[in-house]
């Protein structure tokens, strides 16, 4: 699931953009403001030119005046400074893709209230729109010869729906009012009207890939676009000439992310392999283009392999390894798997040149921000081509390390421990525990935490931060991910509290000044801690589950609960009670801040109101803040800034013992 944050200072008169004074060993050190942290520019999605000569990537920046995050495309060429290629007035430009000849770059741009495919010369200039599709384009891919582009778009509102709304107004029938997404193809040179490849109500299209010949497109599909239907995804082929659809893979479990072998004989895909449980391993598998027996290529790989490419040099995939994420190579004939790239330690995406000799990488080290790298494939040697980390070069950053402890049942647990600048091992520090979402998320080492918890401000002020990878976290294998099945909250709390005990026993933290927080699944664990322990001086619950029955009947992913609790509330009310924070509400003692998005469908707001009322009824100090217009995450910079301040206020009062007030006036900006 997701995460969130909040931030610092002693005097309410200071303005939003101030530099926060902090004290470490009694010395004043300047630390970046909350706006500095939330406004850091970031780079992602590198796409290497077919000949390997240039890399296009996306840079994100905060537009505080418009209250949005702007994304634009940049180009990096060897021996030259990167330059900005697109400038979108009221939206963003994303998803760059080079034409096979390398002369054009296609991308998605938000213009005139719809996202359309645009083209621009690789050397720059004015971009022009290729599509004008009602409702906009979802995704696209160049044909191998560069003459066409396939794309997906959601079907327009039907005439029947329009007539219904005209007569009866707006209403929606749950699980029934939706529109399918389908495949289209458009001729690039002629810029003609797009031609439909798939249609109807039998399925909605997900990921897709062109065959090397250009005659077929492999695509994933499921019966409908409802969130719970992801487990039913299968694969089919469609002829790009006739539009004839032929099933390719039909089996239980989710099958998607198709990639073609270089000779067009096989389709590689990510396979659920008969299993619909979200904590199980997926596998990489291949199937002949004619159909037939499925060949599982990673039967013994104990993590979820994320396919990247199939080149003449073999198959490439990414996978988590404990707190890191590495690039692997798979020989499709022998099945041999080898680690190809393990440094930088957190590799997010990889793209290959046409001949497979050069790759572009989005990754980061434990001490830097995400950067774009170029590397040869034969003997990997990543060379950085962006300079995002220069933004934090002068910041007073602490240190981070991975620590391990034993949980209550003897299970080894890892976590990331962040220490303040100038950490003194002879002192005991306040502790803030930040719990990731998922539950199959992973806490990783990083110099800056840009969620809605003011981690860097706490470090600069003189605190330590623990981010535990509790049972269920990704990167530790299937058996570990399944340890909280029918043990949600309970086992997770063991892992968190045993990590706290470990730090206390080793003289790292002050047990009288501790706080805990998290968003989504991390919010649920925080709510469980609120009602089952009084170890913390304050807790913040972000978009957290308070009652599994309330959650089950309101969420958009009912299957998640059945997967982990192995029953509905009507079949096994005891397991729902055992794992629900509200069951223990009368034991609550900890001052608790609750943060929630107004339109959250993943963890609906009744969970927040239930916990809020329960805490009030038992006399526990609590505050509920609803962020208007948001769903499961807080996605705009101003509201993220507010959420960070709300956490800074709450923990400032209850952990630091300080009166902190969020500044309203913006004089001095």
């Amino acid at each position: 699931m997701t995460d969130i944050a909040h931030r610092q200072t002693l005097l309410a008169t200071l303005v939003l953009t101030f530099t926060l004074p902090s004290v470490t060993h009694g010395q004043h050190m300047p630390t970046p403001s909350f706006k500095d942290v939330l406004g850091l520019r970031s780079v992602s999605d590198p796409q290497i030119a077919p000949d390997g000569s240039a890399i296009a990537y996306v840079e994100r920046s905060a537009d505080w005046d418009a209250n949005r995050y702007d994304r634009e495309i940049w180009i990096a060429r060897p021996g030259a400074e990167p330059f900005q290629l697109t400038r979108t007035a009221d939206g963003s430009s994303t998803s760059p893709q080079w034409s096979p000849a390398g002369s054009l770059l296609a991308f998605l741009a938000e213009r005139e209230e719809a996202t359309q495919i645009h083209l621009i010369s690789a050397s720059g200039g004015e971009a022009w729109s290729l599509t004008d599709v009602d409702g906009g384009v979802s995704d696209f891919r160049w044909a191998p010869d560069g003459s066409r582009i396939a794309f997906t778009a959601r079907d327009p509102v039907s005439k029947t729906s329009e007539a219904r709304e005209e007569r009866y107004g707006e209403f929606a029938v749950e699980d029934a009012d939706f529109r399918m997404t389908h495949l289209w193809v458009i001729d690039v040179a002629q810029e003609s009207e797009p031609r439909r490849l798939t249609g109807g109500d039998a399925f909605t299209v997900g990921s897709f890939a062109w065959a090397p010949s250009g005659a077929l497109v492999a695509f994933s599909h499921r019966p409908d676009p409802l969130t719970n239907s992801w487990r039913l995804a299968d694969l089919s082929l469609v002829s790009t000439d006739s539009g004839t659809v032929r099933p390719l893979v039909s089996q239980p479990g989710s099958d998607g992310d198709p990639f073609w072998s270089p000779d067009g004989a096989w389709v590689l895909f990510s396979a659920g392999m008969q299993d619909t449980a979200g904590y199980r391993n997926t596998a990489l598998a291949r199937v002949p283009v004619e159909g037939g027996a499925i060949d599982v290529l990673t039967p013994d790989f104990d993590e979820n392999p994320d396919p990247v490419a199939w080149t003449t040099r073999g198959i490439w995939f990414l996978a988590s390894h404990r707190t890191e994420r590495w690039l692997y190579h798979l020989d499709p004939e022998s099945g041999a798997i080898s680690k190809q790239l393990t440094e930088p330690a957190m590799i997010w995406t990889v793209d290959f040149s046409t001949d497979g000799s050069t790759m572009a990488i989005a990754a980061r080290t434990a001490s830097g921000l995400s950067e774009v790298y170029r590397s040869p494939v034969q003997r990997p040697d990543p060379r950085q081509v962006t300079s995002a980390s220069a933004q934090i070069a002068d910041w007073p950053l602490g240190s981070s390390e991975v620590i391990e402890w034993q949980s209550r049942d003897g299970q080894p647990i890892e976590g990331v421990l962040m220490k303040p600048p100038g950490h003194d091992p002879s002192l005991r520090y306040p502790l803030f525990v930040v719990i990731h979402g998922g539950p199959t998320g992973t806490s990783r080492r990083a110099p800056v935490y840009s969620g809605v918890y003011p981690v860097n401000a706490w470090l600069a002020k003189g605190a330590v931060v623990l981010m535990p990878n509790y049972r269920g976290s990704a990167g530790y294998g299937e058996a570990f991910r399944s340890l909280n099945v029918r043990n949600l909250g309970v086992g997770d709390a063991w892992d968190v509290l045993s990590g706290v005990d470990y730090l206390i026993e080793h003289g790292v933290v002050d047990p009288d000044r501790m706080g805990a927080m998290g968003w989504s699944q991390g919010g649920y664990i925080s709510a469980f801690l609120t009602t089952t322990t009084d170890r913390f001086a304050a807790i913040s619950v972000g978009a957290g589950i308070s009652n599994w029955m309330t959650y089950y009947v309101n969420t958009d992913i009912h299957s998640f609960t059945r997967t982990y609790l192995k029953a509905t509330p009507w079949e096994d009310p005891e397991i729902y009670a055992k794992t629900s924070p509200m069951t223990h509400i009368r034991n609550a003692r900890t001052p608790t801040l609750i943060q929630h998005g107004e339109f959250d469908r993943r963890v609906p707001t009744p969970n927040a109101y239930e916990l809020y009322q329960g805490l009030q009824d038992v006399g526990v100090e609590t505050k509920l803040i609803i962020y208007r217009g948001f769903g499961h995450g807080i996605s705009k910079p101003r509201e993220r800034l507010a959420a960070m301040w709300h956490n800074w206020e709450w923990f400032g009062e209850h952990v630091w013992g300080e009166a902190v007030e969020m500044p309203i006036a913006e004089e001095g900006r």
Side-chain angles (χ1 to χ4, degrees), residues 137-163:
V137 171
S138 305
D139 196 7
F140 72 96
R141 295 286 184 276
W142 283 94
D145 64 1
S147 65
R148 296 164 293 170
I149 288 179
F151 65 88
T152 50
R154 195 164 61 149
D155 287 344
V157 177
S158 68
K159 300 293 186 184
T160 300
S161 296
E162 289 179 346

PDB file of all heavy atoms in Angstrom, residues 137-163:
ATOM      1  N   VAL A 137      -6.086   8.831 -24.419  1.00  0.00           N
ATOM      2  CA  VAL A 137      -5.320   7.599 -24.622  1.00  0.00           C
ATOM      3  C   VAL A 137      -4.751   7.134 -23.285  1.00  0.00           C
ATOM      4  O   VAL A 137      -4.281   7.940 -22.485  1.00  0.00           O
ATOM      5  CB  VAL A 137      -4.192   7.839 -25.639  1.00  0.00           C
ATOM      6  CG1 VAL A 137      -3.249   6.644 -25.713  1.00  0.00           C
ATOM      7  CG2 VAL A 137      -4.775   8.151 -27.013  1.00  0.00           C
ATOM      8  N   SER A 138      -4.772   5.807 -23.067  1.00  0.00           N
ATOM      9  CA  SER A 138      -4.231   5.250 -21.823  1.00  0.00           C
ATOM     10  C   SER A 138      -2.766   4.868 -21.953  1.00  0.00           C
ATOM     11  O   SER A 138      -1.947   5.172 -21.080  1.00  0.00           O
ATOM     12  CB  SER A 138      -5.042   4.015 -21.409  1.00  0.00           C
ATOM     13  OG  SER A 138      -6.406   4.311 -21.296  1.00  0.00           O
ATOM     14  N   ASP A 139      -2.406   4.177 -23.045  1.00  0.00           N
ATOM     15  CA  ASP A 139      -1.050   3.664 -23.229  1.00  0.00           C
ATOM     16  C   ASP A 139      -0.822   3.471 -24.714  1.00  0.00           C
ATOM     17  O   ASP A 139      -1.787   3.411 -25.511  1.00  0.00           O
ATOM     18  CB  ASP A 139      -0.891   2.349 -22.467  1.00  0.00           C
ATOM     19  CG  ASP A 139       0.568   1.948 -22.291  1.00  0.00           C
ATOM     20  OD1 ASP A 139       1.451   2.747 -22.640  1.00  0.00           O
ATOM     21  OD2 ASP A 139       0.815   0.828 -21.809  1.00  0.00           O
ATOM     22  N   PHE A 140       0.449   3.343 -25.143  1.00  0.00           N
ATOM     23  CA  PHE A 140       0.713   3.178 -26.570  1.00  0.00           C
ATOM     24  C   PHE A 140       2.034   2.459 -26.776  1.00  0.00           C
ATOM     25  O   PHE A 140       2.882   2.397 -25.882  1.00  0.00           O
ATOM     26  CB  PHE A 140       0.717   4.528 -27.283  1.00  0.00           C
ATOM     27  CG  PHE A 140       1.923   5.383 -26.983  1.00  0.00           C
ATOM     28  CD1 PHE A 140       3.029   5.387 -27.827  1.00  0.00           C
ATOM     29  CD2 PHE A 140       1.960   6.195 -25.855  1.00  0.00           C
ATOM     30  CE1 PHE A 140       4.141   6.160 -27.541  1.00  0.00           C
ATOM     31  CE2 PHE A 140       3.070   6.980 -25.565  1.00  0.00           C
ATOM     32  CZ  PHE A 140       4.162   6.955 -26.415  1.00  0.00           C
ATOM     33  N   ARG A 141       2.231   1.907 -27.995  1.00  0.00           N
ATOM     34  CA  ARG A 141       3.471   1.241 -28.389  1.00  0.00           C
ATOM     35  C   ARG A 141       3.694   1.442 -29.891  1.00  0.00           C
ATOM     36  O   ARG A 141       2.768   1.295 -30.699  1.00  0.00           O
ATOM     37  CB  ARG A 141       3.409  -0.275 -28.110  1.00  0.00           C
ATOM     38  CG  ARG A 141       3.299  -0.662 -26.654  1.00  0.00           C
ATOM     39  CD  ARG A 141       4.616  -0.470 -25.909  1.00  0.00           C
ATOM     40  NE  ARG A 141       4.523  -0.932 -24.534  1.00  0.00           N
ATOM     41  CZ  ARG A 141       4.046  -0.212 -23.519  1.00  0.00           C
ATOM     42  NH1 ARG A 141       3.608   1.018 -23.737  1.00  0.00           N
ATOM     43  NH2 ARG A 141       4.005  -0.707 -22.307  1.00  0.00           N
ATOM     44  N   TRP A 142       4.943   1.753 -30.274  1.00  0.00           N
ATOM     45  CA  TRP A 142       5.314   1.828 -31.696  1.00  0.00           C
ATOM     46  C   TRP A 142       5.309   0.431 -32.318  1.00  0.00           C
ATOM     47  O   TRP A 142       5.740  -0.543 -31.690  1.00  0.00           O
ATOM     48  CB  TRP A 142       6.721   2.382 -31.844  1.00  0.00           C
ATOM     49  CG  TRP A 142       6.883   3.860 -31.669  1.00  0.00           C
ATOM     50  CD1 TRP A 142       7.222   4.510 -30.518  1.00  0.00           C
ATOM     51  CD2 TRP A 142       6.758   4.864 -32.685  1.00  0.00           C
ATOM     52  NE1 TRP A 142       7.311   5.859 -30.744  1.00  0.00           N
ATOM     53  CE2 TRP A 142       7.033   6.110 -32.072  1.00  0.00           C
ATOM     54  CE3 TRP A 142       6.435   4.843 -34.037  1.00  0.00           C
ATOM     55  CZ2 TRP A 142       7.005   7.322 -32.759  1.00  0.00           C
ATOM     56  CZ3 TRP A 142       6.407   6.042 -34.738  1.00  0.00           C
ATOM     57  CH2 TRP A 142       6.681   7.262 -34.104  1.00  0.00           C
ATOM     58  N   ALA A 143       4.883   0.335 -33.566  1.00  0.00           N
ATOM     59  CA  ALA A 143       5.082  -0.887 -34.341  1.00  0.00           C
ATOM     60  C   ALA A 143       6.569  -1.040 -34.647  1.00  0.00           C
ATOM     61  O   ALA A 143       7.302  -0.043 -34.732  1.00  0.00           O
ATOM     62  CB  ALA A 143       4.278  -0.837 -35.639  1.00  0.00           C
ATOM     63  N   PRO A 144       7.062  -2.279 -34.823  1.00  0.00           N
ATOM     64  CA  PRO A 144       8.504  -2.480 -35.057  1.00  0.00           C
ATOM     65  C   PRO A 144       9.066  -1.724 -36.259  1.00  0.00           C
ATOM     66  O   PRO A 144      10.237  -1.330 -36.245  1.00  0.00           O
ATOM     67  CB  PRO A 144       8.608  -3.997 -35.261  1.00  0.00           C
ATOM     68  CG  PRO A 144       7.457  -4.550 -34.493  1.00  0.00           C
ATOM     69  CD  PRO A 144       6.346  -3.561 -34.665  1.00  0.00           C
ATOM     70  N   ASP A 145       8.242  -1.488 -37.296  1.00  0.00           N
ATOM     71  CA  ASP A 145       8.750  -0.766 -38.468  1.00  0.00           C
ATOM     72  C   ASP A 145       8.520   0.742 -38.374  1.00  0.00           C
ATOM     73  O   ASP A 145       8.910   1.495 -39.279  1.00  0.00           O
ATOM     74  CB  ASP A 145       8.139  -1.314 -39.756  1.00  0.00           C
ATOM     75  CG  ASP A 145       6.627  -1.104 -39.836  1.00  0.00           C
ATOM     76  OD1 ASP A 145       6.043  -0.507 -38.887  1.00  0.00           O
ATOM     77  OD2 ASP A 145       6.021  -1.529 -40.833  1.00  0.00           O
ATOM     78  N   GLY A 146       7.878   1.203 -37.311  1.00  0.00           N
ATOM     79  CA  GLY A 146       7.687   2.632 -37.103  1.00  0.00           C
ATOM     80  C   GLY A 146       6.559   3.255 -37.887  1.00  0.00           C
ATOM     81  O   GLY A 146       6.350   4.467 -37.811  1.00  0.00           O
ATOM     82  N   SER A 147       5.814   2.452 -38.645  1.00  0.00           N
ATOM     83  CA  SER A 147       4.757   3.025 -39.481  1.00  0.00           C
ATOM     84  C   SER A 147       3.455   3.248 -38.717  1.00  0.00           C
ATOM     85  O   SER A 147       2.624   4.066 -39.128  1.00  0.00           O
ATOM     86  CB  SER A 147       4.489   2.111 -40.681  1.00  0.00           C
ATOM     87  OG  SER A 147       3.973   0.847 -40.239  1.00  0.00           O
ATOM     88  N   ARG A 148       3.255   2.520 -37.619  1.00  0.00           N
ATOM     89  CA  ARG A 148       1.996   2.591 -36.878  1.00  0.00           C
ATOM     90  C   ARG A 148       2.271   2.658 -35.381  1.00  0.00           C
ATOM     91  O   ARG A 148       3.360   2.324 -34.919  1.00  0.00           O
ATOM     92  CB  ARG A 148       1.134   1.354 -37.174  1.00  0.00           C
ATOM     93  CG  ARG A 148       0.665   1.213 -38.607  1.00  0.00           C
ATOM     94  CD  ARG A 148       0.171  -0.204 -38.885  1.00  0.00           C
ATOM     95  NE  ARG A 148       1.261  -1.181 -38.836  1.00  0.00           N
ATOM     96  CZ  ARG A 148       1.095  -2.501 -38.850  1.00  0.00           C
ATOM     97  NH1 ARG A 148      -0.131  -3.005 -38.913  1.00  0.00           N
ATOM     98  NH2 ARG A 148       2.134  -3.308 -38.822  1.00  0.00           N
ATOM     99  N   ILE A 149       1.258   3.074 -34.661  1.00  0.00           N
ATOM    100  CA  ILE A 149       1.281   3.042 -33.202  1.00  0.00           C
ATOM    101  C   ILE A 149      -0.005   2.384 -32.728  1.00  0.00           C
ATOM    102  O   ILE A 149      -1.098   2.747 -33.177  1.00  0.00           O
ATOM    103  CB  ILE A 149       1.410   4.461 -32.596  1.00  0.00           C
ATOM    104  CG1 ILE A 149       2.821   5.009 -32.825  1.00  0.00           C
ATOM    105  CG2 ILE A 149       1.071   4.449 -31.104  1.00  0.00           C
ATOM    106  CD1 ILE A 149       3.030   6.408 -32.284  1.00  0.00           C
ATOM    107  N   ALA A 150       0.134   1.398 -31.860  1.00  0.00           N
ATOM    108  CA  ALA A 150      -1.035   0.798 -31.206  1.00  0.00           C
ATOM    109  C   ALA A 150      -1.239   1.509 -29.877  1.00  0.00           C
ATOM    110  O   ALA A 150      -0.276   1.868 -29.201  1.00  0.00           O
ATOM    111  CB  ALA A 150      -0.821  -0.694 -30.986  1.00  0.00           C
ATOM    112  N   PHE A 151      -2.493   1.710 -29.511  1.00  0.00           N
ATOM    113  CA  PHE A 151      -2.776   2.372 -28.239  1.00  0.00           C
ATOM    114  C   PHE A 151      -4.059   1.821 -27.638  1.00  0.00           C
ATOM    115  O   PHE A 151      -4.872   1.185 -28.322  1.00  0.00           O
ATOM    116  CB  PHE A 151      -2.863   3.896 -28.415  1.00  0.00           C
ATOM    117  CG  PHE A 151      -4.006   4.386 -29.259  1.00  0.00           C
ATOM    118  CD1 PHE A 151      -5.258   4.654 -28.692  1.00  0.00           C
ATOM    119  CD2 PHE A 151      -3.833   4.616 -30.623  1.00  0.00           C
ATOM    120  CE1 PHE A 151      -6.307   5.133 -29.463  1.00  0.00           C
ATOM    121  CE2 PHE A 151      -4.879   5.083 -31.410  1.00  0.00           C
ATOM    122  CZ  PHE A 151      -6.118   5.345 -30.825  1.00  0.00           C
ATOM    123  N   THR A 152      -4.221   2.053 -26.350  1.00  0.00           N
ATOM    124  CA  THR A 152      -5.454   1.682 -25.666  1.00  0.00           C
ATOM    125  C   THR A 152      -6.206   2.941 -25.267  1.00  0.00           C
ATOM    126  O   THR A 152      -5.607   3.962 -24.915  1.00  0.00           O
ATOM    127  CB  THR A 152      -5.184   0.834 -24.408  1.00  0.00           C
ATOM    128  OG1 THR A 152      -4.199   1.480 -23.598  1.00  0.00           O
ATOM    129  CG2 THR A 152      -4.707  -0.551 -24.779  1.00  0.00           C
ATOM    130  N   ALA A 153      -7.524   2.860 -25.335  1.00  0.00           N
ATOM    131  CA  ALA A 153      -8.394   3.968 -24.947  1.00  0.00           C
ATOM    132  C   ALA A 153      -9.688   3.400 -24.393  1.00  0.00           C
ATOM    133  O   ALA A 153     -10.161   2.341 -24.829  1.00  0.00           O
ATOM    134  CB  ALA A 153      -8.682   4.878 -26.141  1.00  0.00           C
ATOM    135  N   ARG A 154     -10.235   4.108 -23.434  1.00  0.00           N
ATOM    136  CA  ARG A 154     -11.499   3.681 -22.846  1.00  0.00           C
ATOM    137  C   ARG A 154     -12.639   4.033 -23.779  1.00  0.00           C
ATOM    138  O   ARG A 154     -12.650   5.099 -24.398  1.00  0.00           O
ATOM    139  CB  ARG A 154     -11.696   4.348 -21.488  1.00  0.00           C
ATOM    140  CG  ARG A 154     -12.783   3.718 -20.649  1.00  0.00           C
ATOM    141  CD  ARG A 154     -12.695   4.125 -19.200  1.00  0.00           C
ATOM    142  NE  ARG A 154     -12.837   5.560 -19.021  1.00  0.00           N
ATOM    143  CZ  ARG A 154     -13.366   6.122 -17.943  1.00  0.00           C
ATOM    144  NH1 ARG A 154     -13.788   5.364 -16.943  1.00  0.00           N
ATOM    145  NH2 ARG A 154     -13.447   7.424 -17.832  1.00  0.00           N
ATOM    146  N   ASP A 155     -13.611   3.129 -23.906  1.00  0.00           N
ATOM    147  CA  ASP A 155     -14.761   3.378 -24.757  1.00  0.00           C
ATOM    148  C   ASP A 155     -15.513   4.627 -24.300  1.00  0.00           C
ATOM    149  O   ASP A 155     -15.603   4.898 -23.095  1.00  0.00           O
ATOM    150  CB  ASP A 155     -15.724   2.185 -24.730  1.00  0.00           C
ATOM    151  CG  ASP A 155     -15.186   0.985 -25.500  1.00  0.00           C
ATOM    152  OD1 ASP A 155     -14.240   1.162 -26.289  1.00  0.00           O
ATOM    153  OD2 ASP A 155     -15.706  -0.128 -25.310  1.00  0.00           O
ATOM    154  N   PRO A 156     -16.054   5.405 -25.248  1.00  0.00           N
ATOM    155  CA  PRO A 156     -16.796   6.610 -24.854  1.00  0.00           C
ATOM    156  C   PRO A 156     -18.096   6.252 -24.139  1.00  0.00           C
ATOM    157  O   PRO A 156     -18.554   5.106 -24.169  1.00  0.00           O
ATOM    158  CB  PRO A 156     -17.073   7.298 -26.189  1.00  0.00           C
ATOM    159  CG  PRO A 156     -17.007   6.208 -27.216  1.00  0.00           C
ATOM    160  CD  PRO A 156     -15.989   5.228 -26.711  1.00  0.00           C
ATOM    161  N   VAL A 157     -18.666   7.240 -23.476  1.00  0.00           N
ATOM    162  CA  VAL A 157     -19.956   7.046 -22.813  1.00  0.00           C
ATOM    163  C   VAL A 157     -20.994   6.673 -23.858  1.00  0.00           C
ATOM    164  O   VAL A 157     -21.090   7.309 -24.914  1.00  0.00           O
ATOM    165  CB  VAL A 157     -20.374   8.332 -22.065  1.00  0.00           C
ATOM    166  CG1 VAL A 157     -21.743   8.156 -21.430  1.00  0.00           C
ATOM    167  CG2 VAL A 157     -19.340   8.704 -21.015  1.00  0.00           C
ATOM    168  N   SER A 158     -21.756   5.634 -23.590  1.00  0.00           N
ATOM    169  CA  SER A 158     -22.733   5.153 -24.560  1.00  0.00           C
ATOM    170  C   SER A 158     -23.909   6.113 -24.694  1.00  0.00           C
ATOM    171  O   SER A 158     -24.188   6.909 -23.792  1.00  0.00           O
ATOM    172  CB  SER A 158     -23.253   3.774 -24.143  1.00  0.00           C
ATOM    173  OG  SER A 158     -24.039   3.889 -22.964  1.00  0.00           O
ATOM    174  N   LYS A 159     -24.598   6.045 -25.836  1.00  0.00           N
ATOM    175  CA  LYS A 159     -25.785   6.868 -26.050  1.00  0.00           C
ATOM    176  C   LYS A 159     -26.842   6.577 -24.992  1.00  0.00           C
ATOM    177  O   LYS A 159     -27.551   7.470 -24.528  1.00  0.00           O
ATOM    178  CB  LYS A 159     -26.352   6.591 -27.443  1.00  0.00           C
ATOM    179  CG  LYS A 159     -25.408   6.895 -28.594  1.00  0.00           C
ATOM    180  CD  LYS A 159     -25.142   8.386 -28.715  1.00  0.00           C
ATOM    181  CE  LYS A 159     -24.304   8.679 -29.958  1.00  0.00           C
ATOM    182  NZ  LYS A 159     -23.944  10.106 -30.047  1.00  0.00           N
ATOM    183  N   THR A 160     -26.945   5.292 -24.595  1.00  0.00           N
ATOM    184  CA  THR A 160     -27.929   4.917 -23.578  1.00  0.00           C
ATOM    185  C   THR A 160     -27.628   5.595 -22.245  1.00  0.00           C
ATOM    186  O   THR A 160     -28.527   6.114 -21.583  1.00  0.00           O
ATOM    187  CB  THR A 160     -27.940   3.391 -23.387  1.00  0.00           C
ATOM    188  OG1 THR A 160     -28.269   2.768 -24.627  1.00  0.00           O
ATOM    189  CG2 THR A 160     -28.943   2.976 -22.323  1.00  0.00           C
ATOM    190  N   SER A 161     -26.353   5.614 -21.871  1.00  0.00           N
ATOM    191  CA  SER A 161     -25.968   6.255 -20.615  1.00  0.00           C
ATOM    192  C   SER A 161     -26.214   7.755 -20.664  1.00  0.00           C
ATOM    193  O   SER A 161     -26.650   8.367 -19.681  1.00  0.00           O
ATOM    194  CB  SER A 161     -24.501   5.972 -20.312  1.00  0.00           C
ATOM    195  OG  SER A 161     -24.290   4.600 -20.099  1.00  0.00           O
ATOM    196  N   GLU A 162     -25.924   8.362 -21.819  1.00  0.00           N
ATOM    197  CA  GLU A 162     -26.173   9.793 -21.962  1.00  0.00           C
ATOM    198  C   GLU A 162     -27.657  10.103 -21.833  1.00  0.00           C
ATOM    199  O   GLU A 162     -28.051  11.073 -21.170  1.00  0.00           O
ATOM    200  CB  GLU A 162     -25.644  10.287 -23.306  1.00  0.00           C
ATOM    201  CG  GLU A 162     -24.120  10.321 -23.391  1.00  0.00           C
ATOM    202  CD  GLU A 162     -23.634  10.789 -24.750  1.00  0.00           C
ATOM    203  OE1 GLU A 162     -24.466  10.822 -25.698  1.00  0.00           O
ATOM    204  OE2 GLU A 162     -22.450  11.121 -24.881  1.00  0.00           O
ATOM    205  N   ALA A 163     -28.480   9.275 -22.462  1.00  0.00           N
ATOM    206  CA  ALA A 163     -29.933   9.494 -22.391  1.00  0.00           C
ATOM    207  C   ALA A 163     -30.444   9.284 -20.965  1.00  0.00           C
ATOM    208  O   ALA A 163     -31.327  10.012 -20.494  1.00  0.00           O
ATOM    209  CB  ALA A 163     -30.641   8.561 -23.360  1.00  0.00           C
TER     210      ALA A 163
END
